[in-house]
Amino acid sequence: MAFCKNCGQEIQDGAQFCGACGTPVDAAPQQEAPQQATPQPQAAPMSEEADVASSRGVAWLSYLGPLFLIPFFVKKTSKFARFHVRQGATLCALEIAYNIAKGILMLPIDLATRSYYYGFYYHNWVYHMFNTILNLAQVFFLVVAIIGIVNAANGRKTELPLISKIPFIAKLMDKWYTSMGIDVTND
């Protein structure tokens, strides 16, 4: 039993034309071609506004120390999140390096100015002066982190003061993104 290619009506065996629409019928019955898998369309690149809107809720976590790893893995395809992850990772690395250097610098001062009195350790004014001066840098890290959080939450890609001048960690983050198969050349 055959069907018309034009209107889909049933054609009687041996008929030269379709009885409903008059379309000529081929002598040899046509077999349907095997269906080929239709190629799936590639996901269209997300517009910048949509990227910012979908990522800013998590991008601000980049400035809370090691929590930059959350947007690093969750929003790795977002240019907006990658921008803030680079800055947050740089800030975190600088803060860790600063605290290590501060600990190394304060250790001899701690040992030289320590007094033991009735089971408690006390330090003289020299230790407290150095410690206070070195702790002022923590205020800088806090202010820069707040600036980054506000920028990310408001959907802005603004470079942080001094942090953006240190490309080492950002380049390392780009290598990690590239190893995950993400193209970062247009970021």
Side-chain angles (χ1 to χ4, degrees):
M1 185 178 308
F3 295 93
C4 177
K5 294 186 285 182
N6 186 35
C7 67
Q9 291 293 323
E10 183 177 334
I11 300 175
Q12 295 178 355
D13 292 336
Q16 299 279 330
F17 298 95
C18 173
C21 68
T23 304
V25 178
D26 292 339
Q30 293 191 356
Q31 297 178 355
E32 289 186 25
Q35 291 186 356
Q36 297 176 358
T38 57
Q40 295 295 327
Q42 294 291 329
M46 194 180 305
S47 71
E48 190 171 338
E49 294 83 20
D51 181 29
V52 169
S54 71
S55 300
R56 71 182 193 179
V58 73
W60 65 271
L61 290 172
S62 300
Y63 300 101
L64 298 178
L67 293 183
F68 74 88
L69 292 171
I70 293 173
F72 175 75
F73 288 112
V74 173
K75 291 289 187 178
K76 59 187 164 196
T77 58
S78 167
K79 289 183 181 182
F80 180 76
R82 286 195 305 260
F83 174 82
H84 289 289
V85 164
R86 286 184 196 105
Q87 290 194 134
T90 302
L91 180 65
C92 181
L94 287 176
E95 199 167 356
I96 289 170
Y98 175 77
N99 284 320
I100 290 172
K102 177 186 163 196
I104 291 170
L105 180 65
M106 287 301 293
L107 183 62
I109 297 170
D110 177 31
L111 294 175
T113 62
R114 184 184 297 182
S115 299
Y116 187 71
Y117 188 71
Y118 290 112
F120 296 101
Y121 286 111
Y122 295 99
H123 293 95
N124 66 13
W125 65 272
V126 174
Y127 173 83
H128 292 292
M129 180 186 69
F130 275 105
N131 195 31
T132 302
I133 291 170
L134 292 175
N135 280 337
L136 288 177
Q138 297 293 356
V139 174
F140 168 76
F141 291 123
L142 177 65
V143 168
V144 170
I146 290 171
I147 291 170
I149 290 170
V150 169
N151 286 339
N154 288 332
R156 292 189 300 249
K157 286 173 68 174
T158 308
E159 292 187 352
L160 295 176
L162 300 176
I163 300 299
S164 61
K165 306 286 187 231
I166 304 169
F168 172 72
I169 301 298
K171 288 180 182 177
L172 181 63
M173 298 303 290
D174 285 344
K175 285 183 182 179
W176 285 343
Y177 280 124
T178 304
S179 71
M180 290 190 284
I182 298 169
D183 182 27
V184 295
T185 54
N186 296 329
D187 285 358

